[in-house]
Amino acid sequence: MLVVEVANGRSLVWGAEAVQALRERLGVGGRTVGALPRGPRQNSRLGLPLLLMPEEARLLAEIGAVTLVSAPRPDPRQHDLALAAFKLQQDQSFREQSTLAAEARETRRRELLDKIAEGQAAKRQRLEPESGAAGGSQEAGGSRAAEGSDPEDDQASGEPEGTVLSSSQPSNEVAPLPRSALLVQLATARPRPVKARPLDWRVQSKDWPHAGRPAHELRYSIYKDLWEHGFFLSGAGKFGGDFLVYPGDPLRFHAHYIAQCWAPEDPIPLQDLVSAGRLGTSVRKTLLLCSPQPDGKVVYTSLQWASLQ
């Protein structure tokens, strides 16, 4: 069974396989809220954990698909020890990767030694005709200079006869691995805390403050009814509603409806109704007014701003 950790009213899923199972088998998408290690200062692409709406977490717990657990709070006194252990692990990983990189480069260099020697030989063959032509034109001047040269000067130069200096010799030194090239292992799951205790969504607590609240009960009844009809739902705060209603996976479809939840006895201000209808039509979505009835059924009323069509 999948595990959902709940803390301060926020339900989080840490496993990549669990996230995939929720989306593909149960029709629950949630939204990722974790920062990526290579891009922590951006929010266009986010990673684990997956944050579930309270309605999503309750539905999954009610149908027995997940277990809600209340994880223990981290001890601030253990922060320094955890940070030191993390840095130690990073240093050890960097040393291991540096050794492996040096071995890989040395192996590659040995494989290319023959090609390097062939390239150097071809280069010397191209340079020999040029040096021979230049030597013929300077032969007379060179012989005169050789007659006036002193053997002691040759010895003072510190270079033995017949020595040829070449800067094209391959170096045996391997460049060190830069720290910025360190490979970071990304966790795709989080082990269940040993002291985690099951959480009952029917009882209000610090970690689950939603139980018994009228607003949560209203939203949940509508969410469950739409989910049972095969729709995907997500939050619609920036669209002025409670839920965005998708005909399928949000990765493949755009939302068709902006759902607003209203209790049967609540009056709807005309100004809010007009503004919500115009907003929904401007973003090519239909405003859906949802109201649960005493018998458990949910009544839906769709509105569109005809003048903007």
Side-chain angles (χ1 to χ4, degrees), residues 103-165:
E103 293 176 355
R105 292 181 182 179
E106 179 62 20
T107 302
R108 183 61 176 168
R109 188 187 68 84
R110 292 178 180 178
E111 294 176 353
L112 298 177
L113 278 179
D114 294 339
K115 294 184 178 180
I116 295 175
E118 292 177 0
Q120 292 177 349
K123 184 177 181 181
R124 284 195 297 268
Q125 290 178 0
R126 290 195 303 268
L127 294 177
E128 285 177 357
E130 299 177 1
S131 61
S137 62
Q138 298 179 359
E139 182 177 356
S143 60
R144 287 193 297 269
E147 294 175 356
S149 62
D150 191 348
E152 295 180 358
D153 294 339
D154 296 338
Q155 296 178 359
S157 64
E159 298 179 0
E161 296 182 1
T163 301
V164 178
L165 297 179

Side-chain angles (χ1 to χ4, degrees), residues 2 13-24 28-29 32 48-50:
L2 305 179
V13 181
W14 292 90
E17 295 181 356
V19 172
Q20 182 179 3
L22 292 179
R23 178 178 291 273
E24 295 180 354
V28 175
T32 52
L48 295 176
L50 183 79

